[in-house]
Amino acid sequence: MTTQEVLNTFQKYVIQNYTRYPIVLTRGEGSSVWDADGRRYLDFFPGWGCNLLGHCPKPVVEAVQKQVVELIHVPNTWYTEQQGQWAKMLSERSFGGMAFFCNSGTEANEAAIKLVRMHTPPERYKIITFQSGFHGRTMGSVTATAQPKYHDGIQPLLPGFTYVPYNDLQAVKTAIDNETAGIMLEPVQGEGGIRIPSVEFLQGVRKVCDENNLLLVFDEVQSGCGRTGNWFAYQHFGVTPDIMTLSKCICGGIAGAAMLAKREIAPSLRAGMHAATFGGNPIAAAAGIATIKMIEQEKLLDRAKQLAVLFRTRFNKLAEELEIIQDVRVLGMMIGIDLSIDGAPFVKACMERGLLINCTHGHVIRLLPAMTMSDDEANEGIDILCDVLKNNPE
Ligand SMILES: Cc1ncc(COP(=O)(O)O)c(C=O)c1O
């Protein structure tokens, strides 16, 4: 099929709920993807954060190939070695909790919302969430997402959410009442513009939870599983959540998600009260295990930290030259360049020059690069982006 034929098929048969660029991707390897006409793009936003190991990482491909001929899917009425092993590996690298598996970030957050309500007395059901946060698109998660633009036309929302400004501890304290059950936040806001909170804020939220007997939920769907150069972003702040949600890159690009809960809380998700048919299936579990092993065997957490220095140094230098850059925020492979103007034209200009990036919140250039990229690849893309930012396409 030609590019135009694929576009025509979409136009006729696929619901138009995404804004898509007129490019048909056919192949990916590492930090490169190729379109149907054979053009290569350097991908600084691979898989919308799912491809932290790059496109088609070999150990994950091999693990899936091996698994797919043995057992593709069995329901959670049976045990599989892979699911148990995957849970153990995630638990040992985080806070020693127990896992519930599902398939997407929003599903993991729905599980967390239910667990918060189930673990606390019925009169306490409210969850405090944060402005500019993002937790997904199903009704619970989208209600937790304190951004009115995502609520337009779908009200009434789920009752019981209170929104407060991010990084504002006093606002959190003020929002707590007798009905509050928990606090849910991203330890680094992704969609909200790569916003990194202060250590005092996150530690303060933990203290407030302890003092008021509230559950603390960290949504690490975007920041988790090595993205920030630690296994989980919360590990940068010396704060441990009670519940954590993961998805995006945890299976090296295969769909998969998990909610981890502390041992004393996990049993509140009683048998029969929650489920996901495909959750923790053998393919996702095999990919999840291979992802963790690859990160460790190839020392990729250290590599993410090294690459972060490269990106930070170059963008800070650019910020000295360009007035349109308000701030540069980097934590591992979460990179935000906060502009004083609309970022969309820069995304388009980079794409025309063979570099894929993202803009979030209207004015923050967001990069979620693969931790496997070489310095040459990083510099190649940074050169293009710097050039595009210097020659404002508008
Ligand atoms: C922090 C965070 N939570 C939840 C989600 C929703 O994940 P999914 O699209 O897999 O449902 C996202 C997606 O971007 C996210 O960044």
Side-chain angles (χ1 to χ4, degrees):
M1 270 190 177
T2 64
T3 295
Q4 196 51 55
E5 283 166 346
V6 174
L7 265 48
N8 292 346
T9 312
F10 267 65
Q11 190 67 36
K12 199 161 172 196
Y13 296 108
V14 180
I15 293 177
Q16 306 288 302
N17 60 311
Y18 297 103
T19 309
R20 296 179 196 263
Y21 298 105
I23 291 174
V24 177
L25 296 178
T26 55
R27 190 167 73 82
E29 190 184 324
S31 287
S32 297
V33 280
W34 285 265
D35 71 12
D37 301 318
R39 179 167 187 208
R40 175 215 175 223
Y41 297 84
L42 181 60
D43 198 351
F44 270 14
F45 200 66
W48 208 275
C50 299
N51 299 336
L52 178 60
L53 302 180
H55 291 276
C56 301
K58 211 163 169 248
V60 177
V61 170
E62 285 170 1
V64 170
Q65 280 173 335
K66 182 170 176 292
Q67 186 58 50
V68 81
V69 291
E70 286 172 4
L71 196 62
I72 292 181
H73 178 65
V74 285
N76 280 301
T77 35
W78 313 107
Y79 294 90
T80 63
E81 184 181 324
Q82 294 84 345
Q83 188 180 132
Q85 195 56 29
W86 189 22
K88 179 170 184 275
M89 291 173 86
L90 289 171
S91 174
E92 286 171 351
R93 282 153 189 81
S94 54
F95 46 83
M98 301 180 83
F100 160 78
F101 290 107
C102 47
N103 311 287
S104 64
T106 199
E107 262 183 273
N109 286 330
E110 292 292 338
I113 292 166
K114 277 172 85 167
L115 180 54
V116 168
R117 288 193 174 187
M118 291 181 72
H119 189 72
T120 48
E123 66 278 9
R124 288 178 45 208
Y125 65 98
K126 287 186 187 164
I127 299 178
I128 295 172
T129 64
F130 292 82
Q131 286 162 12
S132 301
F134 187 82
H135 301 291
R137 304 292 196 147
T138 50
M139 285 308 287
S141 301
V142 83
T143 306
T145 297
Q147 298 197 53
K149 67 179 176 189
Y150 295 125
H151 300 160
D152 201 19
I154 58 165
Q155 289 94 347
L157 300 172
L158 187 69
F161 285 84
T162 309
Y163 305 145
V164 297
Y166 195 59
N167 215 18
D168 182 342
L169 189 58
Q170 191 48 48
V172 175
K173 289 180 181 167
T174 308
I176 295 169
D177 63 25
N178 293 339
E179 294 172 333
T180 308
I183 298 178
M184 177 172 176
L185 74 161
E186 296 157 87
V188 177
Q189 283 192 339
E191 202 262 359
I194 312 293
R195 294 185 62 199
I196 305 167
S198 68
V199 171
E200 295 73 36
F201 171 70
L202 277 195
Q203 291 189 350
V205 170
R206 176 69 270 178
K207 194 159 171 273
V208 162
C209 285
D210 293 340
E211 287 166 357
N212 294 277
N213 210 10
L214 310 178
L215 293 178
L216 179 57
V217 181
F218 280 170
D219 176 345
E220 293 236 22
V221 166
Q222 191 165 140
S223 60
C225 211
R227 164 70 61 195
T228 63
N230 280 351
W231 274 113
F232 304 100
Y234 75 78
Q235 292 163 338
H236 292 276
F237 298 90
V239 176
T240 307
D242 300 305
I243 298 170
M244 172 170 70
T245 55
L246 302 170
S247 186
K248 288 210 187 278
C249 62
I250 63 165
C251 299
I254 298 278
M259 175 192 69
L260 296 182
K262 280 187 176 162
R263 273 174 195 278
E264 58 275 26
I265 296 163
S268 292
L269 207 65
R270 299 186 308 273
M273 283 306 293
H274 199 60
T277 301
F278 277 115
N281 68 78
I283 305 285
I289 292 167
T291 296
I292 293 172
K293 284 186 179 165
M294 179 175 166
I295 289 174
E296 283 177 348
Q297 277 161 9
E298 300 189 13
K299 299 192 171 29
L300 292 175
L301 296 180
D302 291 342
R303 180 64 189 148
K305 287 184 180 133
Q306 278 170 8
L307 279 165
V309 173
L310 194 161
F311 277 95
R312 188 182 298 113
T313 308
R314 292 220 40 203
F315 290 139
N316 277 341
K317 191 159 175 289
L318 185 71
E320 286 169 16
E321 287 173 45
L322 289 188
E323 263 184 26
I324 55 163
I325 299 182
Q326 305 290 292
D327 197 13
V328 173
R329 298 187 283 270
V330 180
L331 193 65
M333 296 289 83
M334 287 185 97
I335 300 163
I337 306 173
D338 201 336
L339 304 177
S340 57
I341 54 174
D342 179 17
F346 298 104
V347 177
K348 189 162 170 282
C350 280
M351 196 175 63
E352 281 160 9
R353 296 194 42 186
L355 175 70
L356 306 184
I357 62 166
N358 171 258
C359 170
T360 187
H361 235 62
H363 56 88
V364 181
I365 300 293
R366 176 172 50 159
L367 312 177
L368 296 173
M371 58 187 355
T372 50
M373 69 165 44
S374 66
D375 283 5
D376 283 351
E377 286 171 316
N379 282 314
E380 179 191 346
I382 293 169
D383 285 346
I384 296 172
L385 181 52
C386 288
D387 207 42
V388 165
L389 286 167
K390 281 181 194 165
N391 299 290
N392 187 350
E394 280 291 270

